[in-house]
Amino acid sequence: MKQAIIAQVAVPVPLYSLFDYRVPDSLAECIQVGARVEVMFGRKRLVGMVLGLGSDSQLPVEKLRPVETLLDTQPLLPEDILQLLQWASSYYHSPLGEVVFTAMPGLLRQGQSADLRQVTSWVLSERASKTTAEEVHQQLARAPKQAALLDYLRHQQPLAVSADVLNRDWESWRAPIKALQDKGWVETRLQNAMDGVTRGSGERAAPQLNVQQQAAVDAVKQSLGRFDSFLLQGITGSGKTEVYLELISEVLARGQQVLVLVPEISLTPQLTQRFADRLDTTIASLHSGLNDSQRHNAWLHARRGLARVVIGTRSALFTPLPELGLVILDEEHDASFKQQEGFRYHARDLALVRARNCAVPVLMGSATPSFESLLNADRGQHTKLKLTQRGASGARPPRVSLLDVCHRPMEDGISDRLLKTIDEHLQQQGQVLLFLNRRGYAPLLMCHECGWTTACQRCDANMTLHQHNRRLRCHHCGHETAAPVQCPGCGHEELYIPGAGTERIETRLQQVFPDVAISRIDRDTTRRKGELDRKLSEARQGEAQILIGTQMLAKGHDFPNVTLVGILNADQGLFSADFRGTEHMAQLIIQVAGRAGRAEREGEVIIQTHHPEHPLLHTLLESGYEGFAREAIEERRQAEFPPYSYMALIRCESTQKAYGQAFLDEARAAFDYHDVQVFGPLPAPMERRAGRYRWQLILLAKARKVLHGACRHWVPQLSKLKSANRVRWSIDIDPQDMF
Ligand code: ADP
Ligand code: ZN
Ligand code: ZN
């Protein structure tokens, strides 16, 4: 074979091509596809990724700039990940360089070494291992602290214990450990840092699975070793996680690794702990709550096969796992699996691609599957598995009822009827969970005299009132001002406060139940690091009797003592501008309702609505999620909307209204393909945001191939259009929301 002299390099820039660099002789032997290099790009020195090696270039070799440095002597990204990224770049019409660099943790993107960091750790010396605990105690009789530390290290054996772990478990340990070392009882050792990595104990026994759980486990087990996809539809609390754990154990026993993807909100230390208690293995977690060095270390542990289970959010999908045996995606319908900026991929869809490439099965679980997955199951692409009973013995599904709040006394967003029911549940030592998808005190302030409202200057939206500091804040652009006392329009002395957010509900409840512990869980009360976890575990232990919160509270968390769930405003999703609005509303209602009565007590769910006659609410209550989905999917079919068609959205933003429209007009004129419908340019549902005007062009086709064939030629040309430099634009394939 001819020596490779030219490297095709992906760099993190928004351009659709790879760039050729000359490989200097000194690197020719060791450069490999999948390794990082440093190259000059324009005047900048960038970290790039080698995606191809060859001897041809469209430019004369002498004109090419050289690769400056080779950062990895082994490929950092393995073949299967590169293949996945190339596929994704082509499917999402995203520049390959951006795609490749999204897939790596930040420190690696910046060029940091891929060697595992080593830290000093302590273990028993050989002498101490051979000596019995009693003998040691006799010899250390006058140094009880040293004796206790030595016992502790003995218990940890064969693991060496790092400073991090000692800091966690001991108040002071340096002096006694030094003494033990001097006496020859303890010695040091270098071992891999464990940031972002948990050593599971597997101490907790698995429950005896019920018949349905066992059937689900068996079905997936039969497909291990080849590609297959399963949709596990199980009501909240039906034991989906137990099914995952059983399968993970099986895959680990076969010497393979498992990738578990979960939504942003549900990945808490409690979930990792639940896995660690059940699995005697090394678990890497990957999510946005970690710092750079934890993410870096966890990723490298997975890459090298040292971590056998990876549990992470969306971007963990791209973690290299040399011995991948199974992919699990929990709450597959969750919107957080879709990246909403830059490279807008869907982790569920890419998980299926990855699994197919690696010939392993995928298990997707949800109480409320997405319409896409339900339809795919109906079409035979996924095998459907069902769990219809609650896992814990005796737990029954809750009673659900609608509470018509038209013409009823309702102060501060919560009806008297609901307050009465809350009181009854509290009397019987029940815990109450109230859900409202709106934070702050009220969505706006207004003047009854002149019609003035708290419109944001930079967005087509009102600013939300936050009462605790009397500030108005725009939840779309972050703009903030002091809340006025009188009307700034006409000077009228009283301002009206319509509507309610979680803060207002909390205030009202404090007035009605002054002696009851109330906990509000939303983005405003959980800003500090660790605060959400603290509040959730407090809620779980029943320290707070009333929980009020937004989505954060609704998803994936287990509150065994909750007996009453109140959904305070179910109406938002009923009249959404977005075609997925009702789907998301139904999923949220079912998810929230599922928090009630998880243990022995029967639960009750009350849904406050101004539209008790709405057919979708009725179907949802009478036929459950499946019946609802069947009807709503049929509506999509008639409207020829996804999942019965395939959509792409071109979004564009500009400082002047006319620019965006002009760009999309030009883009539309350049679009000349059959069998694709084009809608727009249309103003976005929120036309102005953070001072920028937003427009969209919608493409819709019956066949995926047709849409993508057209986009393949058209999208790369868009940046070359005359009006393109006055706007920021992006493409969203399979958009999840239209805002
Ligand atoms: P899901 O993931 O579907 O919400 P979980 O797996 O968290 O459900 O199960 C809900 C509760 O029921 C947990 O406390 C779990 O330990 C318990 N559970 C699940 N399956 C069983 C079973 N077969 N036997 C006993 N308890 C179970
Ligand atoms: Zn006024
Ligand atoms: Zn704003």
Side-chain angles (χ1 to χ4, degrees):
M1 208 180 89
K2 225 167 125 190
Q3 203 182 29
I5 47 167
I6 290 162
Q8 283 119 37
V9 178
V11 284
V13 294
L15 295 170
Y16 281 90
S17 46
L18 299 179
F19 298 90
D20 286 351
Y21 286 87
R22 186 165 48 77
V23 179
D25 290 345
S26 57
L27 300 179
E29 293 279 306
C30 43
I31 195 165
Q32 294 186 57
V33 170
R36 291 169 304 157
V37 289
E38 275 183 336
V39 292
M40 293 306 293
F41 188 82
R43 291 203 197 150
K44 276 198 244 157
R45 199 185 178 89
L46 294 181
V47 175
M49 169 69 58
V50 180
L51 293 188
L53 288 166
S55 49
D56 295 326
S57 174
Q58 292 188 334
L59 295 169
V61 178
E62 342 43 282
K63 290 228 165 135
L64 295 178
R65 298 166 97 176
V67 167
E68 303 275 325
T69 328
L70 179 63
L71 295 173
D72 301 305
T73 50
Q74 296 293 318
L76 184 67
L77 296 183
E79 184 61 39
D80 72 297
I81 294 292
L82 292 175
Q83 192 188 351
L84 176 69
L85 296 173
Q86 257 148 4
W87 190 94
S89 159
S90 140
Y91 183 80
Y92 291 103
H93 305 278
S94 274
L96 186 52
E98 286 191 331
V99 169
V100 166
F101 281 82
T102 306
M104 282 188 277
L107 294 177
L108 291 170
R109 253 181 268 161
Q110 293 160 22
Q112 207 172 91
S113 159
D115 291 338
L116 284 171
R117 196 165 52 83
Q118 303 254 294
V119 291
T120 304
S121 307
W122 288 266
V123 281
L124 291 195
S125 64
E126 202 176 324
R127 172 172 153 229
S129 305
K130 283 186 183 148
T131 316
T132 65
E134 291 88 71
E135 251 177 275
V136 173
H137 275 264
Q138 274 169 16
Q139 299 201 25
L140 291 174
R142 277 190 290 161
K145 179 113 196 215
Q146 292 174 29
L149 252 175
L150 204 63
D151 284 345
Y152 166 86
L153 290 176
R154 191 186 296 277
H155 187 70
Q156 301 290 324
Q157 270 188 324
L159 293 182
V161 181
S162 68
D164 280 350
V165 175
L166 286 161
N167 280 332
R168 187 193 66 197
D169 293 348
W170 295 85
E171 252 169 41
S172 63
W173 53 270
R174 289 204 182 260
I177 238 171
K178 174 85 175 36
L180 287 169
Q181 208 174 328
D182 290 344
K183 291 175 191 164
W185 294 114
V186 163
E187 50 195 43
T188 57
R189 190 163 290 175
L190 278 179
Q191 70 168 21
N192 294 333
M194 293 292 274
D195 334 8
V197 179
T198 310
R199 188 55 235 178
S201 69
E203 272 167 8
R204 176 168 296 191
Q208 176 78 39
L209 297 184
N210 66 32
V211 175
Q212 290 180 324
Q213 287 172 316
Q214 192 60 50
V217 167
D218 291 342
V220 181
K221 242 190 218 178
Q222 287 194 350
S223 291
L224 291 176
R226 62 183 155 91
F227 171 70
D228 210 342
S229 56
F230 297 89
L231 180 61
L232 178 63
Q233 187 173 2
I235 56 169
T236 318
S238 60
K240 294 185 288 299
T241 311
E242 294 300 336
V243 171
Y244 306 152
L245 286 165
E246 181 64 31
L247 283 163
I248 294 170
S249 304
E250 172 69 25
V251 175
L252 292 176
R254 296 180 182 210
Q256 292 183 306
Q257 293 170 287
V258 183
L259 173 62
V260 184
L261 298 177
V262 299
E264 209 68 68
I265 292 174
S266 60
L267 185 49
T268 57
Q270 284 79 23
L271 185 66
T272 314
Q273 194 56 48
R274 183 168 172 194
F275 275 58
D277 289 345
R278 286 284 300 281
L279 303 168
D280 174 15
T281 195
T282 306
I283 302 170
S285 10
L286 282 164
H287 56 91
S288 55
L290 301 178
N291 65 32
D292 281 351
S293 107
Q294 289 170 322
R295 246 198 312 269
H296 181 74
N297 196 48
W299 193 93
L300 288 174
H301 269 77
R303 168 71 185 100
R304 286 162 190 246
L306 297 170
R308 308 304 295 176
V309 175
V310 168
I311 166 161
T313 49
R314 185 175 65 226
S315 67
L317 166 75
F318 301 111
T319 316
L321 294 156
E323 293 161 308
L324 182 64
L326 172 68
V327 179
I328 293 171
L329 209 114
D330 192 29
E331 311 284 0
E332 67 82 37
H333 65 279
D334 196 275
S336 75
F337 285 122
K338 180 83 192 306
Q339 165 108 338
Q340 297 288 23
E341 59 192 29
F343 163 37
R344 294 167 183 257
Y345 63 95
H346 201 305
R348 176 193 60 222
D349 298 346
L350 286 184
L352 287 159
V353 175
R354 180 170 185 184
R356 186 183 293 273
N357 291 346
C358 297
V360 303
V362 186
L363 174 60
M364 302 176 289
S366 176
T368 53
S370 64
F371 290 3
E372 271 77 7
S373 296
L374 284 175
L375 188 63
N376 281 335
D378 281 350
R379 288 171 169 167
Q381 289 176 21
H382 308 319
T383 305
K384 205 171 190 179
L385 306 167
K386 279 198 154 187
L387 304 180
T388 53
Q389 300 145 19
R390 290 201 160 186
S393 57
R396 277 165 296 169
R399 267 181 297 129
V400 185
S401 58
L402 289 179
L403 174 55
D404 179 0
V405 287
C406 293
H407 324 294
R408 269 180 188 276
M410 184 149 110
E411 218 175 310
D412 299 328
I414 186 161
S415 63
D416 289 354
R417 253 288 303 284
L418 184 54
L419 286 173
K420 202 164 149 269
T421 314
I422 292 174
D423 193 33
E424 287 160 18
H425 279 261
L426 292 174
Q427 300 285 347
Q428 292 164 32
Q429 320 309 319
Q431 195 180 23
V432 175
L433 186 156
L434 300 175
F435 170 80
L436 177 60
N437 217 0
R438 183 194 275 155
R439 63 200 168 84
Y441 189 83
L444 73 165
L445 276 176
M446 65 187 280
C447 173
H448 267 332
E449 291 297 308
C450 73
W452 176 88
T453 65
T454 51
C456 175
Q457 300 156 358
R458 311 173 66 217
C459 307
D460 292 330
N462 282 306
M463 300 212 281
T464 301
L465 174 65
H466 290 262
Q467 187 73 298
H468 70 101
N469 55 2
R470 287 289 300 167
R471 308 265 310 161
L472 293 169
R473 193 182 323 134
C474 174
H475 288 180
H476 304 284
C477 71
H479 183 61
E480 243 192 79
T481 60
V485 184
Q486 319 178 323
C487 174
C490 69
H492 185 63
E493 297 214 341
E494 215 177 333
L495 286 168
Y496 176 59
I497 310 179
T502 47
E503 189 191 359
R504 187 171 198 169
I505 303 289
E506 181 191 29
T507 310
R508 174 88 175 120
L509 290 167
Q510 283 166 344
Q511 289 159 359
V512 181
F513 304 107
D515 303 324
V516 172
I518 299 171
S519 174
R520 169 158 65 98
I521 301 186
D522 57 26
R523 215 156 3 119
D524 296 317
T525 63
T526 56
R527 270 182 215 283
R528 259 186 301 144
K529 200 172 154 58
E531 191 69 5
L532 176 61
D533 291 316
R534 199 185 59 73
K535 279 189 166 264
L536 286 175
S537 84
E538 206 179 83
R540 200 171 302 111
Q541 268 133 45
E543 282 167 44
Q545 287 159 277
I546 302 181
L547 313 170
I548 154 104
T550 53
Q551 320 223 23
M552 279 191 169
L553 199 54
K555 295 187 174 177
H557 306 302
D558 200 1
F559 304 118
N561 300 318
V562 166
T563 55
L564 172 66
V565 166
I567 296 173
L568 299 184
N569 184 0
D571 297 345
Q572 276 171 359
L574 291 177
F575 305 98
S576 167
D578 199 318
F579 73 91
R580 288 183 209 272
T582 47
E583 176 183 353
H584 291 155
M585 177 213 63
Q587 288 165 342
L588 205 56
I589 290 180
I590 300 289
Q591 296 280 340
V592 183
R595 307 290 134 219
R598 297 199 71 175
E600 296 72 32
R601 294 179 177 177
E602 188 182 22
E604 178 173 5
V605 178
I606 293 181
I607 302 175
Q608 281 194 166
T609 175
H610 285 95
H611 305 276
E613 296 309 321
H614 198 290
L616 282 174
L617 277 180
H618 273 268
T619 312
L620 187 61
L621 258 55
E622 279 155 24
S623 328
Y625 183 75
E626 278 230 84
F628 161 82
R630 214 172 300 119
E631 252 176 49
I633 290 177
E634 175 56 23
E635 280 177 15
R636 297 265 191 98
R637 192 182 66 79
Q638 285 171 10
E640 299 190 348
F641 267 150
Y644 287 93
S645 60
Y646 299 88
M647 189 183 274
L649 190 66
I650 304 282
R651 288 195 179 82
C652 134
E653 288 188 3
S654 55
T655 49
Q656 305 273 323
K657 192 166 173 172
Y659 293 169
Q661 193 174 10
F663 169 71
L664 291 180
D665 275 336
E666 211 184 339
R668 181 174 182 151
F671 190 90
D672 182 20
Y673 300 92
H674 294 297
D675 302 325
V676 181
Q677 286 177 280
V678 184
F679 302 95
L682 304 162
M686 185 188 296
E687 186 178 347
R688 201 168 51 106
R689 180 165 172 171
R692 292 177 157 268
Y693 292 88
R694 306 154 76 234
W695 285 80
Q696 9 185 272
L697 200 65
I698 299 169
L699 310 180
L700 204 60
K702 284 263 184 61
R704 187 169 257 163
K705 262 213 177 94
V706 172
L707 180 67
H708 284 264
C711 287
R712 187 143 305 123
H713 300 287
W714 179 65
V715 173
Q717 292 175 26
L718 293 179
S719 4
K720 295 176 198 136
L721 295 179
K722 266 205 323 287
S723 47
N725 56 6
R726 295 187 305 196
V727 302
R728 268 195 237 148
W729 67 273
S730 61
I731 178 162
D732 192 351
I733 301 291
D734 308 327
Q736 290 298 301
D737 69 54
M738 314 286 280
F739 289 93

